Amino acid sequence: MPFRERYTGLINRYREYLPVSDSTPSVSLGEGDTPLIRLQNIPRLLGKDIDIYVKYEGLNPTGSFKDRGMTMAVTKAVEEGSTAIICASTGNTSAAAAAYAARAGITAFVLIPEGKIAMGKLAQAMMYGAVIMQIRGNFDAGMQLVKDIAGEAPVTIVNSVNPYRLQGQKTAAFEIVEELNRAPDFHCLPVGNAGNITAHWMGYSEYQRAGIVSSAPKMVGYQAAGSAPFLRGAPVENPETVATAIRIGNPQSWDKAWALQKESGGWFDELSDAEILDAQKLLAEKEGVFCEPASAASIGGAMRDIRSGKIPEGSTIVCTLTGNGLKDPDTAIEQCQAARMVTIDAELNAVKQAILSHM
Ligand SMILES: *Cc1c(COP(=O)(O)O)cnc(C)c1O
């Protein structure tokens, strides 16, 4: 059997579909090519004839889909001669920016909301050596500051308002189509700034125009109820949710997201924090897949819409799991206080008792 060709990241794989030249050197950590896992136990629980896949983006190099956008944004920043990048972040963008800046040998400045960033993400930004500015304000305030500073200092913005970010992120749709040999009927994602849902729609639409697929999915975006501007029809002033990655009140891809919702025939909906955490736990417990809270909004929302019949039987559904569960260990442990953990003496009989009482 021939060896598989060495995978060197999504820019090298999809160069012809990306705004790079043959000679653009990619700044890559081997992002993309993530598993598309077919769920086995949850469809059975639902009692419906349904095919659900999860695209496990938490297995990217820094543990979220942000790496897909960041490889493009940093590659282009370096190509254009930039020596510093800046972003506002709820956590994962700062982790990715810091890592790719380290790889490229340039400086990353990150603005994060004080006290509202998951532990793993903060650890990453620190380890990769970013200059971290904790602001006394939320993501939306940080985003405004980043836009304002761009005219004042020689730094490249790598938030999703940077068009190269969405270009990189659209490759997730390419991978899904290639693996399924078709587009799914429904694609469900958590929505914060709505950059990722926009990027996926771009990817599906491009493959449809190129004649690689004959259809595109209905795009379904799920928000946290305390942070759901698409459900309110207007920005939310003080967004709150346990799913800190989507704690965003003023989405940067507002118009694009409304346009693709109409074009694809999809919809937006919201989940309570309790529903989000229940879905996160269920996915880990029943399928062995651990995602962060924000990511679970996709599967939690999809399950609700399957139960109600809004997503009909016979459908093929892809849910994007945007980030890795290890990003936010505090929330995970907190919601598992009633976990099946016992403290016992270090002796054989105690272990035997513990086993028998759990069989
Ligand atoms: C960034 C992020 C989102 C939201 O993506 P948008 O493009 O802002 O809609 C969702 N989940 C996780 C884990 C993220 O890091």
Side-chain angles (χ1 to χ4, degrees):
M1 200 173 86
F3 290 123
R4 185 181 169 191
E5 195 181 327
R6 197 173 116 71
Y7 181 80
T8 56
L10 62 84
I11 292 180
N12 287 340
R13 173 129 163 210
Y14 293 111
R15 207 167 266 274
E16 63 188 301
Y17 289 98
L18 294 169
V20 289
S21 74
D22 288 346
S23 57
T24 305
S26 72
V27 179
S28 174
L29 292 164
E31 60 295 313
D33 200 19
T34 54
L36 185 66
I37 304 167
R38 184 163 185 252
L39 298 189
Q40 293 178 349
N41 300 317
I42 287 179
R44 211 174 296 147
L45 270 178
L46 290 168
K48 299 268 192 176
D49 169 26
I50 210 109
D51 237 353
I52 313 176
Y53 295 84
V54 291
K55 180 74 168 158
Y56 196 13
E57 292 287 274
L59 290 191
N60 274 295
T62 78
S64 86
F65 74 83
K66 299 298 197 304
D67 294 341
R68 290 183 188 271
M70 208 54 73
T71 185
M72 271 301 301
V74 173
T75 290
K76 295 301 285 188
V78 169
E79 188 177 45
E80 288 158 11
S82 179
T83 58
I85 59 175
I86 190 166
C87 64
S89 177
T90 60
N92 282 331
T93 301
S94 63
Y100 284 81
R103 181 78 168 169
I106 63 176
T107 306
F109 297 97
V110 304
L111 277 73
I112 56 173
E114 183 186 23
K116 293 291 183 181
I117 167 171
M119 192 64 74
K121 305 175 189 182
L122 185 59
Q124 288 179 294
M126 287 176 160
M127 278 300 286
Y128 295 132
V131 180
I132 303 169
M133 295 176 237
Q134 282 204 77
I135 60 165
R136 294 183 197 96
N138 61 21
F139 169 86
D140 302 298
M143 190 64 235
Q144 191 54 53
L145 286 166
V146 163
K147 285 177 166 174
D148 292 344
I149 200 68
E152 309 271 331
V155 288
T156 302
I157 300 184
V158 294
N159 280 104
S160 56
V161 294
N162 176 326
Y164 300 124
R165 278 276 308 277
L166 301 194
Q167 287 293 321
Q169 286 168 213
K170 76 184 179 186
T171 59
F174 295 169
E175 291 174 12
I176 291 163
V177 161
E178 287 161 22
E179 210 159 327
L180 295 179
N181 270 309
R182 54 166 289 190
D185 300 308
F186 296 87
H187 190 133
C188 305
L189 300 102
V191 168
N193 273 309
N196 207 28
I197 196 168
T198 301
H200 277 79
W201 182 245
M202 284 166 51
Y204 286 121
S205 302
E206 273 183 44
Y207 263 19
Q208 196 177 13
R209 277 197 301 276
I212 296 167
V213 280
S214 54
S215 66
K218 292 183 167 59
M219 303 298 293
V220 185
Y222 296 108
Q223 300 215 277
S227 177
F230 284 101
L231 280 298
R232 309 290 164 262
V236 170
E237 186 114 13
N238 292 304
E240 271 310 339
T241 169
V242 68
T244 50
I246 51 173
R247 187 172 168 270
I248 291 165
N250 187 16
Q252 297 300 306
S253 293
W254 179 257
D255 294 337
K256 292 192 191 95
W258 280 117
L260 76 86
Q261 176 264 322
K262 290 195 183 73
E263 212 180 317
S264 78
W267 60 87
F268 296 110
D269 208 342
E270 61 190 300
L271 287 84
S272 69
D273 279 3
E275 285 177 289
I276 288 173
L277 293 177
D278 283 352
Q280 182 196 20
K281 185 75 165 66
L282 188 79
L283 188 64
E285 229 169 51
K286 298 297 177 196
E287 301 283 357
V289 180
F290 185 20
C291 66
E292 69 173 282
S295 313
S298 64
I299 187 74
M303 282 171 52
R304 191 210 281 155
D305 287 335
I306 290 166
R307 282 203 184 95
S308 75
K310 198 167 180 184
I311 295 179
E313 291 207 59
S315 298
T316 296
I317 304 148
V318 172
C319 294
T320 298
L321 301 180
T322 44
N324 196 301
L326 294 172
K327 292 274 193 176
D328 192 353
D330 295 326
T331 304
I333 290 169
E334 206 170 296
Q335 73 157 310
C336 296
Q337 287 307 329
R340 297 199 290 179
M341 182 158 75
V342 290
T343 305
I344 58 166
D345 292 329
E347 53 175 52
L348 197 58
N349 206 39
V351 176
K352 189 172 161 192
Q353 286 305 320
I355 290 172
L356 294 177
S357 70
H358 281 95
M359 297 282 282

